[in-house]
Short mmCIF file of all heavy atoms in Angstrom, two decimals:
data_model
loop_
_atom_site.label_atom_id
_atom_site.label_comp_id
_atom_site.label_asym_id
_atom_site.label_seq_id
_atom_site.Cartn_x
_atom_site.Cartn_y
_atom_site.Cartn_z
N LYS A 1 -95.39 -25.58 49.62
CA LYS A 1 -96.07 -25.36 48.34
C LYS A 1 -95.19 -24.54 47.54
O LYS A 1 -94.79 -23.41 47.90
CB LYS A 1 -97.41 -24.62 48.61
CG LYS A 1 -98.18 -24.28 47.31
CD LYS A 1 -99.45 -23.60 47.68
CE LYS A 1 -100.21 -23.20 46.43
NZ LYS A 1 -101.45 -22.50 46.74
N LEU A 2 -94.79 -25.04 46.35
CA LEU A 2 -93.97 -24.26 45.39
C LEU A 2 -94.89 -23.80 44.24
O LEU A 2 -95.67 -24.57 43.78
CB LEU A 2 -92.96 -25.21 44.77
CG LEU A 2 -91.68 -25.54 45.63
CD1 LEU A 2 -92.06 -26.56 46.69
CD2 LEU A 2 -90.61 -26.08 44.75
N GLU A 3 -94.64 -22.55 43.83
CA GLU A 3 -95.36 -22.06 42.70
C GLU A 3 -94.32 -21.53 41.68
O GLU A 3 -93.42 -20.79 42.10
CB GLU A 3 -96.30 -20.90 43.15
CG GLU A 3 -97.41 -21.39 44.05
CD GLU A 3 -98.23 -20.21 44.54
OE1 GLU A 3 -99.21 -19.84 43.85
OE2 GLU A 3 -97.95 -19.72 45.66
N VAL A 4 -94.42 -21.93 40.44
CA VAL A 4 -93.49 -21.48 39.46
C VAL A 4 -94.26 -21.31 38.16
O VAL A 4 -95.17 -22.08 37.79
CB VAL A 4 -92.27 -22.43 39.31
CG1 VAL A 4 -92.70 -23.86 38.96
CG2 VAL A 4 -91.25 -21.95 38.38
N VAL A 5 -93.95 -20.29 37.36
CA VAL A 5 -94.53 -20.09 36.07
C VAL A 5 -93.46 -20.36 35.02
O VAL A 5 -92.32 -19.82 35.10
CB VAL A 5 -95.13 -18.66 35.91
CG1 VAL A 5 -95.68 -18.46 34.53
CG2 VAL A 5 -96.24 -18.48 36.93
N VAL A 6 -93.77 -21.23 34.02
CA VAL A 6 -92.80 -21.61 32.98
C VAL A 6 -93.41 -21.52 31.63
O VAL A 6 -94.66 -21.49 31.47
CB VAL A 6 -92.31 -23.09 33.24
CG1 VAL A 6 -91.59 -23.21 34.51
CG2 VAL A 6 -93.43 -24.07 33.08
N ALA A 7 -92.57 -21.35 30.62
CA ALA A 7 -93.05 -21.39 29.20
C ALA A 7 -93.58 -22.78 28.94
O ALA A 7 -93.14 -23.77 29.58
CB ALA A 7 -91.85 -21.01 28.34
N ASP A 8 -94.53 -22.85 27.96
CA ASP A 8 -95.06 -24.18 27.61
C ASP A 8 -93.97 -25.19 27.26
O ASP A 8 -94.08 -26.29 27.61
CB ASP A 8 -96.05 -23.95 26.45
CG ASP A 8 -97.27 -23.20 26.85
OD1 ASP A 8 -97.58 -23.12 28.10
OD2 ASP A 8 -98.00 -22.86 25.95
N SER A 9 -92.91 -24.71 26.67
CA SER A 9 -91.85 -25.58 26.20
C SER A 9 -91.05 -26.20 27.40
O SER A 9 -90.36 -27.20 27.23
CB SER A 9 -90.90 -24.84 25.25
OG SER A 9 -90.32 -23.69 25.93
N GLN A 10 -91.14 -25.56 28.57
CA GLN A 10 -90.39 -25.98 29.72
C GLN A 10 -91.23 -26.90 30.69
O GLN A 10 -90.74 -27.44 31.63
CB GLN A 10 -89.90 -24.81 30.58
CG GLN A 10 -88.62 -24.17 30.17
CD GLN A 10 -88.18 -23.19 31.21
OE1 GLN A 10 -88.93 -22.29 31.62
NE2 GLN A 10 -86.96 -23.31 31.61
N LEU A 11 -92.55 -26.98 30.40
CA LEU A 11 -93.44 -27.63 31.28
C LEU A 11 -93.04 -29.08 31.64
O LEU A 11 -92.90 -29.43 32.81
CB LEU A 11 -94.90 -27.59 30.72
CG LEU A 11 -95.92 -28.29 31.60
CD1 LEU A 11 -96.06 -27.65 32.99
CD2 LEU A 11 -97.27 -28.35 30.93
N GLU A 12 -92.87 -29.87 30.62
CA GLU A 12 -92.58 -31.33 30.89
C GLU A 12 -91.28 -31.50 31.70
O GLU A 12 -91.18 -32.30 32.57
CB GLU A 12 -92.53 -32.12 29.56
CG GLU A 12 -93.92 -32.22 28.89
CD GLU A 12 -95.00 -32.86 29.79
OE1 GLU A 12 -94.64 -33.85 30.46
OE2 GLU A 12 -96.14 -32.42 29.74
N ARG A 13 -90.25 -30.71 31.28
CA ARG A 13 -88.98 -30.86 31.99
C ARG A 13 -89.11 -30.36 33.42
O ARG A 13 -88.50 -31.02 34.38
CB ARG A 13 -87.85 -30.02 31.30
CG ARG A 13 -87.45 -30.64 29.98
CD ARG A 13 -86.26 -29.92 29.35
NE ARG A 13 -85.89 -28.71 30.00
CZ ARG A 13 -85.33 -27.68 29.36
NH1 ARG A 13 -85.01 -27.72 28.10
NH2 ARG A 13 -85.05 -26.55 30.00
N ALA A 14 -89.86 -29.30 33.65
CA ALA A 14 -90.02 -28.80 35.03
C ALA A 14 -90.82 -29.85 35.88
O ALA A 14 -90.46 -30.09 37.03
CB ALA A 14 -90.79 -27.48 35.04
N MET A 15 -91.85 -30.43 35.33
CA MET A 15 -92.62 -31.40 36.07
C MET A 15 -91.75 -32.64 36.36
O MET A 15 -91.81 -33.22 37.47
CB MET A 15 -93.84 -31.84 35.30
CG MET A 15 -94.91 -30.80 35.31
SD MET A 15 -96.31 -31.14 34.29
CE MET A 15 -96.87 -32.73 34.98
N GLU A 16 -90.95 -33.08 35.44
CA GLU A 16 -90.07 -34.21 35.65
C GLU A 16 -89.02 -33.90 36.74
O GLU A 16 -88.71 -34.71 37.57
CB GLU A 16 -89.36 -34.62 34.33
CG GLU A 16 -88.44 -35.77 34.41
CD GLU A 16 -89.11 -37.09 34.80
OE1 GLU A 16 -90.29 -37.23 34.41
OE2 GLU A 16 -88.46 -37.92 35.49
N ALA A 17 -88.48 -32.67 36.72
CA ALA A 17 -87.48 -32.27 37.68
C ALA A 17 -88.09 -32.27 39.10
O ALA A 17 -87.48 -32.80 40.06
CB ALA A 17 -86.95 -30.88 37.34
N ILE A 18 -89.29 -31.74 39.25
CA ILE A 18 -90.02 -31.79 40.54
C ILE A 18 -90.24 -33.21 40.99
O ILE A 18 -89.99 -33.56 42.09
CB ILE A 18 -91.28 -30.94 40.48
CG1 ILE A 18 -90.95 -29.46 40.27
CG2 ILE A 18 -92.09 -31.16 41.82
CD1 ILE A 18 -92.12 -28.62 39.90
N THR A 19 -90.81 -33.98 40.11
CA THR A 19 -91.14 -35.38 40.44
C THR A 19 -89.96 -36.16 40.86
O THR A 19 -89.98 -36.84 41.92
CB THR A 19 -91.85 -36.05 39.28
OG1 THR A 19 -93.03 -35.26 38.89
CG2 THR A 19 -92.27 -37.51 39.63
N THR A 20 -88.92 -36.09 40.17
CA THR A 20 -87.69 -36.83 40.46
C THR A 20 -87.04 -36.41 41.78
O THR A 20 -86.68 -37.21 42.62
CB THR A 20 -86.70 -36.71 39.32
OG1 THR A 20 -87.28 -37.14 38.08
CG2 THR A 20 -85.39 -37.48 39.63
N ALA A 21 -86.97 -35.07 41.95
CA ALA A 21 -86.32 -34.51 43.19
C ALA A 21 -87.16 -34.71 44.42
O ALA A 21 -86.59 -34.88 45.50
CB ALA A 21 -86.01 -33.08 42.99
N ALA A 22 -88.43 -34.67 44.33
CA ALA A 22 -89.34 -34.76 45.43
C ALA A 22 -89.73 -36.18 45.88
O ALA A 22 -90.21 -36.44 46.97
CB ALA A 22 -90.64 -33.92 45.26
N ARG A 23 -89.51 -37.13 45.00
CA ARG A 23 -89.95 -38.54 45.25
C ARG A 23 -89.18 -39.20 46.37
O ARG A 23 -87.94 -39.21 46.30
CB ARG A 23 -89.95 -39.32 44.00
CG ARG A 23 -90.37 -40.80 44.21
CD ARG A 23 -90.34 -41.62 42.94
NE ARG A 23 -91.45 -41.14 42.04
CZ ARG A 23 -91.22 -40.89 40.71
NH1 ARG A 23 -90.06 -41.08 40.19
NH2 ARG A 23 -92.27 -40.48 40.03
N THR A 24 -89.88 -39.77 47.30
CA THR A 24 -89.17 -40.67 48.28
C THR A 24 -89.71 -42.08 48.15
O THR A 24 -89.08 -43.05 48.69
CB THR A 24 -89.51 -40.21 49.78
OG1 THR A 24 -90.92 -40.36 50.01
CG2 THR A 24 -89.08 -38.78 50.05
N GLY A 25 -90.86 -42.22 47.46
CA GLY A 25 -91.40 -43.57 47.27
C GLY A 25 -92.33 -43.91 48.43
O GLY A 25 -92.88 -45.02 48.40
N LYS A 26 -92.54 -42.99 49.31
CA LYS A 26 -93.45 -43.23 50.48
C LYS A 26 -94.69 -42.37 50.39
O LYS A 26 -94.66 -41.35 49.68
CB LYS A 26 -92.72 -42.98 51.81
CG LYS A 26 -91.49 -43.89 52.03
CD LYS A 26 -90.86 -43.64 53.30
CE LYS A 26 -89.68 -44.71 53.47
NZ LYS A 26 -88.49 -44.12 54.07
N ILE A 27 -95.69 -42.79 51.07
CA ILE A 27 -96.95 -42.00 51.04
C ILE A 27 -96.67 -40.59 51.56
O ILE A 27 -95.79 -40.34 52.45
CB ILE A 27 -98.06 -42.72 51.92
CG1 ILE A 27 -99.39 -42.10 51.69
CG2 ILE A 27 -97.64 -42.67 53.42
CD1 ILE A 27 -100.55 -42.94 52.21
N GLY A 28 -97.38 -39.60 50.93
CA GLY A 28 -97.18 -38.22 51.28
C GLY A 28 -96.20 -37.41 50.52
O GLY A 28 -95.79 -36.33 50.87
N ASP A 29 -95.69 -38.02 49.42
CA ASP A 29 -94.72 -37.27 48.58
C ASP A 29 -95.25 -36.02 47.97
O ASP A 29 -94.54 -35.11 47.69
CB ASP A 29 -94.17 -38.22 47.44
CG ASP A 29 -93.03 -39.11 47.93
OD1 ASP A 29 -92.49 -38.87 49.03
OD2 ASP A 29 -92.64 -39.97 47.19
N GLY A 30 -96.56 -35.93 47.77
CA GLY A 30 -97.17 -34.64 47.30
C GLY A 30 -97.89 -34.81 45.97
O GLY A 30 -98.14 -35.92 45.47
N LYS A 31 -98.17 -33.67 45.44
CA LYS A 31 -98.98 -33.55 44.17
C LYS A 31 -98.41 -32.42 43.31
O LYS A 31 -97.78 -31.44 43.93
CB LYS A 31 -100.40 -33.27 44.48
CG LYS A 31 -101.20 -34.35 45.17
CD LYS A 31 -102.08 -35.10 44.21
CE LYS A 31 -103.09 -36.02 44.77
NZ LYS A 31 -102.68 -36.84 45.92
N ILE A 32 -98.68 -32.41 42.05
CA ILE A 32 -98.34 -31.28 41.15
C ILE A 32 -99.65 -30.91 40.43
O ILE A 32 -100.33 -31.80 39.92
CB ILE A 32 -97.25 -31.70 40.14
CG1 ILE A 32 -95.99 -32.10 40.83
CG2 ILE A 32 -97.10 -30.59 39.15
CD1 ILE A 32 -94.88 -32.59 39.88
N PHE A 33 -99.89 -29.64 40.39
CA PHE A 33 -101.07 -29.10 39.75
C PHE A 33 -100.59 -28.15 38.72
O PHE A 33 -99.69 -27.31 38.86
CB PHE A 33 -102.02 -28.36 40.71
CG PHE A 33 -102.44 -29.16 41.87
CD1 PHE A 33 -101.79 -29.04 43.08
CD2 PHE A 33 -103.52 -30.08 41.78
CE1 PHE A 33 -102.18 -29.84 44.19
CE2 PHE A 33 -103.92 -30.81 42.88
CZ PHE A 33 -103.24 -30.72 44.07
N VAL A 34 -101.17 -28.20 37.49
CA VAL A 34 -100.72 -27.30 36.38
C VAL A 34 -101.94 -26.56 35.88
O VAL A 34 -102.98 -27.17 35.61
CB VAL A 34 -100.16 -28.12 35.17
CG1 VAL A 34 -99.75 -27.23 34.08
CG2 VAL A 34 -98.86 -28.91 35.65
N THR A 35 -101.86 -25.28 35.72
CA THR A 35 -102.90 -24.42 35.24
C THR A 35 -102.34 -23.46 34.17
O THR A 35 -101.14 -23.20 34.11
CB THR A 35 -103.58 -23.54 36.36
OG1 THR A 35 -102.54 -22.77 37.04
CG2 THR A 35 -104.31 -24.42 37.36
N THR A 36 -103.19 -23.02 33.33
CA THR A 36 -102.78 -22.06 32.30
C THR A 36 -102.72 -20.63 32.82
O THR A 36 -103.59 -20.23 33.54
CB THR A 36 -103.77 -22.16 31.10
OG1 THR A 36 -103.74 -23.48 30.60
CG2 THR A 36 -103.37 -21.18 30.02
N VAL A 37 -101.66 -19.95 32.41
CA VAL A 37 -101.51 -18.56 32.79
C VAL A 37 -101.68 -17.69 31.58
O VAL A 37 -101.02 -17.90 30.53
CB VAL A 37 -100.04 -18.31 33.41
CG1 VAL A 37 -99.86 -16.75 33.64
CG2 VAL A 37 -99.86 -19.08 34.69
N GLU A 38 -102.64 -16.79 31.62
CA GLU A 38 -103.00 -15.96 30.38
C GLU A 38 -102.02 -14.80 30.22
O GLU A 38 -101.69 -14.42 29.07
CB GLU A 38 -104.39 -15.50 30.50
CG GLU A 38 -105.37 -16.65 30.42
CD GLU A 38 -106.82 -16.18 30.23
OE1 GLU A 38 -107.01 -15.06 29.66
OE2 GLU A 38 -107.70 -16.94 30.57
N GLN A 39 -101.59 -14.18 31.28
CA GLN A 39 -100.68 -13.04 31.13
C GLN A 39 -99.76 -12.89 32.38
O GLN A 39 -100.22 -13.16 33.51
CB GLN A 39 -101.54 -11.75 30.99
CG GLN A 39 -100.81 -10.47 30.75
CD GLN A 39 -100.00 -10.50 29.44
OE1 GLN A 39 -98.90 -11.07 29.41
NE2 GLN A 39 -100.57 -9.97 28.40
N VAL A 40 -98.59 -12.45 32.13
CA VAL A 40 -97.66 -12.12 33.17
C VAL A 40 -97.00 -10.72 32.91
O VAL A 40 -96.72 -10.48 31.73
CB VAL A 40 -96.48 -13.17 33.16
CG1 VAL A 40 -95.44 -12.77 34.24
CG2 VAL A 40 -96.99 -14.53 33.49
N VAL A 41 -96.92 -9.90 33.91
CA VAL A 41 -96.26 -8.57 33.75
C VAL A 41 -95.29 -8.39 34.86
O VAL A 41 -95.58 -8.62 36.04
CB VAL A 41 -97.30 -7.46 33.85
CG1 VAL A 41 -96.72 -6.11 33.78
CG2 VAL A 41 -98.41 -7.56 32.76
N ARG A 42 -94.06 -8.03 34.41
CA ARG A 42 -93.03 -7.74 35.39
C ARG A 42 -93.25 -6.28 35.77
O ARG A 42 -93.16 -5.33 34.94
CB ARG A 42 -91.60 -7.91 34.79
CG ARG A 42 -90.48 -7.50 35.76
CD ARG A 42 -89.14 -7.84 35.30
NE ARG A 42 -88.94 -9.32 35.42
CZ ARG A 42 -88.37 -10.13 34.47
NH1 ARG A 42 -87.91 -9.54 33.34
NH2 ARG A 42 -88.30 -11.40 34.67
N ILE A 43 -93.47 -6.04 37.02
CA ILE A 43 -93.89 -4.69 37.51
C ILE A 43 -92.78 -3.69 37.28
O ILE A 43 -93.05 -2.56 36.85
CB ILE A 43 -94.26 -4.74 39.07
CG1 ILE A 43 -95.58 -5.63 39.13
CG2 ILE A 43 -94.48 -3.41 39.57
CD1 ILE A 43 -95.98 -5.92 40.55
N ARG A 44 -91.55 -4.07 37.60
CA ARG A 44 -90.42 -3.11 37.54
C ARG A 44 -90.21 -2.58 36.15
O ARG A 44 -90.04 -1.36 35.94
CB ARG A 44 -89.10 -3.80 38.03
CG ARG A 44 -87.87 -2.86 37.95
CD ARG A 44 -86.66 -3.61 38.43
NE ARG A 44 -86.33 -4.84 37.82
CZ ARG A 44 -85.64 -4.94 36.67
NH1 ARG A 44 -85.10 -3.91 36.15
NH2 ARG A 44 -85.37 -6.17 36.13
N THR A 45 -90.26 -3.40 35.09
CA THR A 45 -89.92 -3.00 33.73
C THR A 45 -91.11 -2.81 32.79
O THR A 45 -90.97 -2.26 31.72
CB THR A 45 -88.95 -4.01 33.05
OG1 THR A 45 -89.65 -5.26 32.97
CG2 THR A 45 -87.66 -4.14 33.87
N GLY A 46 -92.26 -3.42 33.16
CA GLY A 46 -93.37 -3.40 32.32
C GLY A 46 -93.40 -4.51 31.23
O GLY A 46 -94.32 -4.56 30.51
N GLU A 47 -92.34 -5.35 31.24
CA GLU A 47 -92.32 -6.48 30.30
C GLU A 47 -93.52 -7.33 30.52
O GLU A 47 -93.98 -7.53 31.64
CB GLU A 47 -91.05 -7.30 30.48
CG GLU A 47 -89.79 -6.62 30.14
CD GLU A 47 -88.54 -7.41 30.57
OE1 GLU A 47 -88.36 -7.62 31.76
OE2 GLU A 47 -87.89 -7.92 29.61
N SER A 48 -93.97 -8.00 29.49
CA SER A 48 -95.15 -8.90 29.59
C SER A 48 -94.93 -10.14 28.80
O SER A 48 -94.01 -10.25 27.99
CB SER A 48 -96.45 -8.16 29.18
OG SER A 48 -96.35 -7.88 27.81
#
């Protein structure tokens, strides 16, 4: 299970990259789920 947070502008490219790299063409290749993230805070610097 991979989890990655991306900017909205990167979403389509990231999904395409995962789909292309993970595809074998056989059953069990997997799934991609996308959810909205409301806030992110980097603990070390306080950036948000």
Side-chain angles (χ1 to χ4, degrees):
K1 178 180 177 182
L2 284 74
E3 297 174 85
V4 60
V5 177
V6 297
D8 291 344
S9 60
Q10 278 189 307
L11 177 63
E12 292 302 321
R13 288 189 349 211
M15 288 177 55
E16 180 64 30
I18 294 168
T19 302
T20 302
R23 180 179 289 136
T24 66
K26 297 182 177 139
I27 192 165
D29 275 351
K31 295 257 190 320
I32 297 175
F33 305 96
V34 179
T35 55
T36 300
V37 174
E38 294 191 24
Q39 184 63 277
V40 176
V41 176
R42 179 172 286 137
I43 294 172
R44 179 178 56 87
T45 63
E47 293 172 293
S48 63

